[in-house]
Amino acid sequence: MSVWEYANPKKFMDTTGPLMPWVAGLAAVVTGVGLIWGYFFTPDDFRQGSTVKILFLHVPSAMMAINIWIMMLVASLVWLIRRHHVSALAARAAAPIGLAMTAVALFTGAVWGQPMWGTWWVWDPRLTSFLVLFLFYLGYIALWQAIDDPDTAADLTAVLCLVGSIFALLSRYAVFFWSQGLHQGPSLSLQAGERMDMTYKLPLYVSMAGFVLIFVALVLAGTRTEIRARRIKALEARERMG
Amino acid sequence: MLALFLRDLRLAVRAGGGFGLGLAFFLLLVVLVPLGVGPEGAVLAMIAPGILWVGALLACLLSLDRIFALDYEDGSLDLLATAPIPMEGVVTVKALAHWVTTGLPLTLIAPLLGVLLSLPAPAYGWLVLSLALGTPALSVIGTFGAALTVGLRRGGLLLSLLVLPLYVPTLVFGAELVRRGAEGLAVGTPLALLAGITLGAFALLPFASAAAIRINLR
Amino acid sequence: MELVVEDLACARGGVAVLEGVSFSLAGGRALVLRGPNGCGKTTLLRTLAGLQPPLAGRVSVAPEAIAYAAHADGLKPTLTVAENLAFWAQVYGGPGIGAALEAMNLGELSGRQAQNLSAGQKRRLGLARLVVAARPVWVLDEPTVSLDAASVALFVAVVRRHLAGGGAALMATHIDLGLKEAEVLELAPYRAQPRQNGAFDEAFA
């Protein structure tokens, strides 16, 4: 009994089917607890007032935006090396979620930045690298959608994910270098974690766990949909062959 | 492989268009920017390095989809894949040929366009150097994008979407190099990083491009 | 040099089309593949040429020994006949182009640009590439499309010379070439059957 058995589409469907409602329910409960705790049962910050509470959305989504790309990288490698279809389809299912998380992180960042810095957008290295990450997600999703043959699409997007990861990392360093070159001096990056006390940390951790569970639930649902779509395609192909 | 390189150059020359179009686009872009921004010399001088680099990058992008498209349509790519040249060699040669027909002319004409944008005098040398170092990376990264989209009917727009994010580091370091050169600052770091990206891209990306071509030919 | 194919299965667009294909082809012999449209002739030939991996089975000859010619001739319209051919001669490091031009009766056309050739002349130029490639096994997909009777005879003569030199030729064609010594392989019996095995998920071949 090895973990790779779950890479068999049938086994995957059989196992995740009964799990789905539980994972989804748990995700809803944990996220709900984290966000309600964070929004209504924490004190206002002495400097930022209640604006600080957007961090309970901002930090988990930013964390997921990066981690989902890493998950896609791992899934792509598994597909290229071991040819498990579930892996490729999971990467495909994860990409739109990563795109949405990046969008949420950028949007909440802008909403937070307005009262904090007096502007919706600055070309701060962190913000810029998230914008670049957003573009990487867009390209990856567009390539999946452009190719008809599912195995070709899986192979090419996996190669793109590999190369993209290297360039995303390079871009991150480049952007930090570039922004320092532009404006030395006051750093706008948020070192929130360091000066945060437990009253904020605990609900933040719960929200982060909730976001992870939301991601797991959505990826499972998305992968199941992709597997069903493949089966429909195969049935149609057999029909055509007579 | 030399035969392939010479064939691609000969084809580019006979087809015409290839050279001229990218250069004309570059010129147009550089003419349009002052029309939009205003004729203020100081403002133009400040943004000139960035405009020239973005212009060169976009001009490079224009011709990317032709790298493999014609060879794919007329069956040459199938035959090259079965010929005794490794596919990695084919894509490297294609990238080099693309650079000679696109990046090199852009590099040579850039100082001329720098005059139009009141680029400060100390920057000219760095402009040519940065483009000479950076445009090969644009070609080899673009070849990878072209390899990914070779079989697609509407690959052109998708190609831009895939390739432009990959151009970010090259653009940042290239433009930064010129900007620092213009201001008389130390240029060592961006110079080394730009060269590093180009060399790294030439060393590694052909493997990814070749893999993409093989997958697309299946 | 003997081409032995054992129990080969190949797929088109992710769907298995042929399975259990087995045959052998010794040097000096020719084999003609027959079968209705869509039965997988092109897929089989592309698999042998190394352009796509087989689903299962074994091929005794490496793709490096195979010269492949498909429907498309890979000609560059702005290059002349001689330049087109010389390019492939350099790529394959084979003999000069003189004999190949001669064999396909292209000598008088050698200075003409490929875009000014007729369909049949282009085809002849595409087949001349096989001669400069100088590889022992020819794998040809519909080699005689758009050739007139005289050109087909030229082509058959070229194939005979290749066989006489110890080479082998595998061809998919619908017409009768007049190559009497060629054996014929019907592909229809090797058509892949949808599997009924419960553990197998046919969506993920």
Side-chain angles (χ1 to χ4, degrees):
Chain A
M1 180 77 186
S2 101
V3 65
W4 297 114
E5 278 189 27
Y6 294 96
N8 176 304
K10 188 168 159 27
K11 175 97 180 165
F12 177 85
M13 291 300 271
D14 292 349
T15 313
T16 53
L19 274 179
M20 273 307 298
W22 295 99
V23 179
L26 198 62
V29 170
V30 173
T31 313
V33 167
L35 289 183
I36 291 171
W37 184 359
Y39 283 148
F40 299 109
F41 298 98
T42 53
D44 284 358
D45 185 76
F46 70 95
R47 235 161 24 96
Q48 299 185 24
S50 54
T51 27
V52 73
K53 292 181 178 177
I54 205 161
L55 111 136
F56 296 111
L57 262 181
H58 181 72
V59 174
S61 57
M63 171 193 79
M64 291 313 290
I66 295 169
N67 287 353
I68 290 173
W69 185 274
I70 295 171
M71 173 265 172
M72 282 159 50
L73 174 64
V74 172
S76 300
L77 282 172
V78 170
W79 159 249
L80 285 179
I81 296 165
R82 296 196 59 128
R83 313 299 290 177
H84 291 309
H85 288 86
V86 171
S87 183
L89 296 179
R92 174 176 195 168
I97 311 169
L99 183 76
M101 290 290 182
T102 316
V104 169
L106 284 169
F107 178 75
T108 53
V111 172
W112 195 0
Q114 215 287 325
M116 279 275 290
W117 308 327
T119 171
W120 296 99
W121 181 262
V122 285
W123 288 93
D124 170 83
R126 238 169 239 239
L127 276 69
T128 312
S129 47
F130 264 78
L131 198 58
V132 173
L133 182 64
F134 187 78
L135 298 177
F136 274 100
Y137 274 120
L138 274 185
Y140 179 88
I141 295 170
L143 187 62
W144 259 113
Q145 289 182 344
I147 303 168
D148 294 330
D149 181 67
D151 278 0
T152 307
D155 280 332
L156 290 177
T157 51
V159 173
L160 176 67
C161 187
L162 238 69
V163 172
S165 300
I166 297 170
F167 276 88
L169 209 63
L170 272 177
S171 307
R172 192 178 155 74
Y173 284 112
V175 159
F176 271 80
F177 175 80
W178 159 81
S179 195
Q180 277 172 11
L182 260 184
H183 51 80
Q184 299 278 351
S187 168
L188 291 170
S189 61
L190 307 163
Q191 300 295 331
E194 289 167 17
R195 53 179 170 74
M196 213 166 36
D197 63 42
M198 282 316 255
T199 47
Y200 290 117
K201 262 190 190 168
L202 281 180
L204 179 60
Y205 287 155
V206 178
S207 306
M208 285 160 90
F211 269 64
V212 172
L213 285 167
I214 290 178
F215 168 68
V216 172
L218 287 176
V219 149
L220 288 181
T223 311
R224 289 170 62 79
T225 309
E226 297 291 346
I227 289 175
R228 291 200 175 108
R230 287 280 305 250
R231 286 186 174 157
I232 291 171
K233 260 194 174 176
L235 286 177
E236 283 172 353
R238 197 211 293 184
E239 194 110 300
R240 275 198 305 276
M241 283 175 75
Chain B
M1 290 210 277
L2 182 66
L4 180 62
F5 183 67
L6 293 176
R7 183 195 73 152
D8 271 20
L9 290 190
R10 185 180 281 172
L11 286 173
V13 172
R14 293 217 181 145
F19 291 99
L21 222 57
L23 287 180
F25 178 82
F26 193 25
L27 173 68
L28 263 172
L29 200 106
V30 168
V31 170
L32 285 180
V33 166
L35 291 178
V37 172
E40 192 67 45
V43 175
L44 289 178
M46 206 170 72
I47 58 172
I51 299 301
L52 288 169
W53 253 93
V54 170
L57 188 148
L58 292 177
C60 221
L61 198 65
L62 274 185
S63 50
L64 285 182
D65 59 338
R66 290 163 54 118
I67 295 182
F68 293 116
L70 294 176
D71 279 341
Y72 180 76
E73 282 161 19
D74 68 15
S76 302
L77 205 53
D78 274 346
L79 301 180
L80 281 173
T82 60
I85 314 178
M87 192 43 90
E88 287 78 4
V90 172
V91 295
T92 310
V93 165
K94 289 273 175 189
L96 281 175
H98 179 261
W99 180 71
V100 170
T101 54
T102 312
L104 188 59
L106 289 176
T107 306
L108 296 178
I109 203 177
L112 219 60
L113 301 183
V115 177
L116 291 180
L117 292 174
S118 346
L119 188 72
Y124 284 91
W126 298 118
L127 175 69
V128 173
L129 181 66
S130 74
L131 285 173
L133 272 179
T135 45
L138 299 183
S139 288
V140 79
I141 296 169
T143 305
F144 170 65
L148 282 178
T149 54
V150 68
L152 298 175
R153 282 176 302 281
R154 277 164 299 157
L157 200 59
L158 178 65
L159 179 59
S160 316
L161 187 59
L162 295 180
V163 164
L164 282 178
L166 301 178
Y167 277 173
V168 168
T170 317
L171 171 66
V172 166
F173 292 127
E176 185 71 23
L177 173 57
V178 185
R179 194 179 303 120
R180 290 191 177 193
E183 293 171 13
L185 301 171
V187 294
T189 317
L191 185 64
L193 288 169
L194 184 65
I197 287 177
T198 302
L199 292 174
F202 260 95
L204 297 177
L205 270 181
F207 294 100
S209 311
I213 293 275
R214 286 197 203 97
I215 292 163
N216 266 322
L217 288 182
R218 269 199 321 236
Chain C
M1 175 63 64
E2 188 177 20
L3 172 66
V4 183
V5 173
E6 284 174 79
D7 214 16
L8 193 72
C10 37
R12 180 180 54 221
V15 181
V17 286
L18 288 169
E19 60 189 8
V21 180
S22 302
F23 62 86
S24 71
L25 179 63
R29 309 295 294 271
L31 182 66
V32 172
L33 298 177
R34 289 200 197 278
N37 288 335
C39 77
K41 294 189 293 291
T42 296
T43 308
L44 175 62
L45 295 180
R46 286 180 70 87
T47 307
L48 293 177
L51 287 169
Q52 59 182 69
L55 288 181
R58 233 172 48 78
V59 182
S60 69
V61 169
E64 283 74 41
I66 291 174
Y68 171 72
H71 302 277
D73 294 312
L75 303 179
K76 291 297 166 190
T78 52
L79 297 187
T80 66
V81 168
E83 284 169 338
N84 265 302
L85 203 54
F87 165 66
W88 290 111
Q90 276 175 304
V91 165
Y92 283 99
I97 60 171
L101 287 174
E102 182 83 7
M104 291 315 293
N105 194 19
L106 289 164
E108 289 172 12
L109 299 171
S110 67
R112 198 185 283 190
Q113 290 199 336
Q115 59 194 352
N116 300 326
L117 297 179
S118 74
Q121 289 165 336
K122 281 183 187 161
R123 192 70 212 166
R124 263 151 58 197
L125 177 52
L127 293 170
R129 188 182 56 86
L130 293 168
V131 179
V132 298
R135 285 183 161 184
V137 182
W138 288 3
V139 168
L140 314 178
D141 198 354
E142 302 284 0
T144 53
V145 169
S146 61
L147 290 187
D148 58 19
S151 301
V152 170
L154 268 180
F155 166 66
V156 169
V158 168
V159 172
R160 284 216 170 98
R161 205 171 312 148
H162 176 63
L163 299 181
L170 180 66
M171 288 173 274
T173 179
H174 289 290
I175 67 158
D176 183 21
L177 292 175
L179 194 68
K180 287 173 215 62
E181 64 271 36
E183 296 156 62
V184 172
L185 180 71
E186 272 294 339
L187 279 183
Y190 299 109
R191 183 172 207 180
Q193 301 299 317
R195 265 175 264 187
Q196 300 302 332
N197 182 351
F200 175 77
D201 204 331
E202 70 174 310
F204 301 96

